[in-house]
Amino acid sequence: MSQFERETAVEQVDDNRFLGELHEGWRIGAVPNGGYVLALAGRALRAVLPHKDPLTVSAFYLAPTVLGPIECRVEILGGGRSTSFAEVKMYQEGQLKVKVTAAYTDLDKLHGETWSANGRPHYPAWDECAPAGDKGIEFRQRAEIRMVSGQEVFSERKTNGSGEFCGWVSHRDGSDPDVIALLMFADAFPPPIFTVFGLVGWVPTVELTVQVRAHPAPGPLQVRLSSRHMTQGVIEEDGEYWDSAGQLVALSRQTAKLRIKKR
């Protein structure tokens, strides 16, 4: 069992209630990474639904989580032969912290046409890219990022105005990704607004949606994460994720708020 599997494990305590624990190594500042928290919900959903693969999963982050036990209460909403639906409410110390809604399916049984307006980007190989320069963040103990563009934000404190980070991501321990890990990796890259304003503050997630398209092949994931519009401090982040075989395996969108530090 990989470190990610161990640290996202949940234990079923009755029909629709699970207990997990948020571990050290996954925090951004004092708060566990939102994608990491979402992965625990993903495991609880997999345990109760007849379909075992996330198709689309959306989380609303009502309050910051903390290290320690977390309770997942699952409600099955319905479904049919190819898709099942449910929600998870995640509690700590009696407070609702995260609410998740999801559709699950069997990805290997999907069939139909394939098309994309945005092809897989061409990046230098993983081994040719330098690790991201934000090593002071605890989360980097678990997820290794190697930048193709935007690295100067961390290495030189320079902005390029692109609103985009491109690069690779992998488990720090070298284990291969799976569909539950995609829920975490969809929140692994730094906020692209840093390429516009620099490392000026905190960008908390309000809502995160991950669409899973396929089981990923072994190896690092290619990532393109971009923001195009910010209004009164509210910004979107759109992610595209390809596996080592060049297959598009996930898409993400999150709503976040830029909180600039007061001088």
Side-chain angles (χ1 to χ4, degrees), residues 64-125:
T65 57
V66 296
L67 297 183
I70 189 164
E71 179 183 357
C72 302
R73 302 177 189 174
V74 182
E75 180 182 354
I76 298 175
L77 302 176
R81 292 178 60 187
S82 63
T83 312
S84 50
F85 303 88
E87 73 171 18
V88 182
K89 293 180 179 178
M90 307 182 78
Y91 292 85
Q92 285 188 315
E93 299 177 342
Q95 181 183 4
L96 178 60
K97 297 292 187 79
V98 183
K99 182 177 179 180
V100 178
T101 56
Y104 268 52
T105 192
D106 292 321
L107 291 171
D108 289 338
K109 295 182 180 179
L110 294 179
H111 58 86
E113 300 298 326
T114 298
W115 171 87
S116 178
N118 296 318
R120 175 193 182 191
H122 296 286
Y123 294 167

Side-chain angles (χ1 to χ4, degrees), residues 2-55:
S2 70
Q3 185 173 42
F4 174 74
E5 290 174 313
R6 290 194 304 271
E7 296 181 349
T8 56
V10 294
E11 178 184 2
Q12 190 166 6
V13 293
D14 59 35
D15 288 348
N16 293 306
R17 192 163 65 93
F18 295 79
L19 294 179
E21 182 169 350
L22 300 181
H23 294 262
E24 289 185 352
W26 297 96
R27 288 178 291 184
I28 307 293
V31 180
N33 170 267
Y36 166 63
V37 176
L38 184 58
L40 275 76
R43 294 213 185 277
L45 288 161
R46 168 177 274 185
V48 300
L49 291 174
H51 304 95
K52 301 306 177 184
D53 300 323
L55 181 62

